[in-house]
Amino acid sequence: MFAVAAQTLAITAPVFAMLFLGVALKRLRWIDTPFIDTASSLVFRGTMPTLLFLGVVKADLDTALQPQLLTYFFLATVASFFVAWAWAIWRVPLADRGIYTQGAFRGNNGIIGLALATSMYGDYGLAVGSLLAALVILCYNVLSAVVLAIYTPCVKPGVKPIARSIVKNPLIIGVLLAVPFAYWQIPLPQWLLTSAQYFAQMTLPLALICIGGTLSLASLRRSSGVAIGSSLMKMVWLPLLATLGAWLFGFRGADLAILFIYFACPTAASSFVMARAIGANHELAAAIIVITTLIAVVCINAGLLLLQWGGWI
């Protein structure tokens, strides 16, 4: 289990390095608020949709197509969303409910989850993890768009404005465009895929630098109560409930371990990008990302150790 802890730390350490780089660059005045606004917009409108498109296109459908596993993961993700939202309605101030809910259910499956699944289970982990990530990307973005639209002043209330915000969401468009290419295995020119990969590779470092540039002690203090509550929901309570449900449904071995890893991933950097793009409380979103990434090493390894001790993985 020490090897898993080292792997988790090796994956999360570069995330923190880029966050702190963003803090340093802002302090040095190499980047400023207009740069962060422009870079966040580029990530939201361009690089991240491209990254999601490539992730779906490259998913190995033949190896990883397991209807029971995919169905449970989808239903558990939707249930987690509604649990987090219900708790937010009860305990979180109105203006922060959308950010709280998104931070509590939206995991970094495409980066941290996929890397851990692959390192633990090789080609099988890569195939299953890729398909799970591809499936949940659309779910994450639709549900996040809905809850953020409801609690964001710049989005008018009502079914039509919310539906419009979903249809126009670049992240959702990127996934939907990729589906026919993945399903019918439509080949794309190699030069186009390589160029798209270059463009998509900017996503995570640029998003993390923007998050770091937004962070400050004052913003962390202002967001601390809600951010800690959302982080505990994301890293402790929802993974516990979802993994228990998976165990009750009979999942064991690699499938149960991969499900747990995906449920216990820290909050995705895309939650900050989306929050900033629509004028929501992006400082709270940044704080949740930092806190969940910080405690991911402990929570993920504790969960895997418990599952291994029970003889279930």
Side-chain angles (χ1 to χ4, degrees):
M1 204 43 62
F2 287 110
V4 177
Q7 290 167 359
T8 310
L9 185 61
I11 294 166
T12 55
V15 173
F16 278 110
M18 298 308 296
L19 286 170
F20 290 133
L21 178 61
V23 174
L25 293 176
K26 183 69 181 295
R27 290 287 183 89
L28 292 170
R29 298 183 180 179
W30 289 10
I31 64 174
D32 53 14
T33 300
F35 171 85
I36 293 173
D37 291 339
T38 302
S40 298
S41 179
L42 174 62
V43 170
F44 180 67
R45 298 175 184 276
T47 66
M48 190 165 286
T50 305
L51 180 67
L52 299 181
F53 177 89
L54 292 174
V56 175
V57 167
K58 293 179 179 180
D60 188 349
L61 300 180
D62 294 333
T63 304
L65 196 58
Q66 300 183 47
Q68 288 185 331
L69 185 69
L70 296 171
T71 300
Y72 178 80
F73 184 59
F74 173 78
L75 294 177
T77 299
V78 174
S80 297
F81 167 78
F82 283 107
V83 169
W85 192 4
W87 185 264
I89 292 173
W90 185 35
R91 299 298 297 269
V92 178
L94 181 65
D96 292 334
R97 288 175 187 172
I99 299 298
Y100 176 98
T101 304
Q102 181 186 222
F105 94 100
R106 185 173 191 166
N108 194 347
N109 302 141
I111 305 297
I112 294 176
L114 184 58
L116 284 174
T118 304
S119 67
M120 289 183 67
Y121 295 104
D123 291 339
Y124 181 77
L126 176 62
V128 173
S130 297
L131 196 53
L132 288 176
L135 169 71
V136 83
I137 281 168
L138 186 59
C139 181
Y140 278 161
N141 286 292
V142 170
L143 295 176
S144 294
V146 169
V147 77
L148 290 175
I150 290 173
Y151 295 108
T152 302
C154 65
V155 179
K156 296 179 180 179
V159 176
K160 286 186 178 179
I162 292 174
R164 195 178 300 115
S165 70
I166 293 172
V167 172
K168 291 183 176 181
N169 189 301
L171 307 184
I172 296 173
I173 293 171
V175 174
L176 292 178
L177 286 176
V179 170
F181 289 94
Y183 184 78
W184 286 295
Q185 297 184 340
I186 301 173
L188 291 171
Q190 187 58 46
W191 68 266
L192 182 61
L193 289 173
T194 302
S195 300
Q197 189 67 42
Y198 289 159
F199 187 57
Q201 284 173 346
M202 294 191 292
T203 300
L204 192 61
L206 200 55
L208 292 173
I209 286 173
C210 290
I211 294 169
T214 302
L215 286 176
S216 67
L217 291 178
S219 66
L220 287 173
R221 280 194 296 266
R222 285 195 303 269
S223 306
S224 60
V226 177
I228 290 172
S230 181
S231 300
L232 290 175
M233 180 71 74
K234 178 71 191 74
M235 300 306 300
V236 179
W237 305 120
L238 292 181
L240 179 63
L241 292 173
T243 306
L244 177 60
W247 181 82
L248 291 174
F249 272 93
F251 292 106
R252 298 291 187 274
D255 290 342
L256 182 61
I258 292 171
L259 283 172
F260 166 73
I261 288 170
Y262 272 53
F263 291 133
C265 276
T267 303
S270 53
S271 63
F272 167 85
V273 175
M274 186 177 287
R276 194 174 186 103
I278 66 168
N281 187 352
H282 57 273
E283 291 183 349
L284 173 59
I288 294 170
I289 292 167
V290 172
I291 294 170
T292 55
T293 305
L294 181 63
I295 63 177
V297 177
V298 175
C299 291
I300 291 176
N301 285 284
L304 290 173
L305 183 62
L306 181 62
L307 291 172
Q308 192 177 61
W309 174 77
W312 301 314
I313 65 172

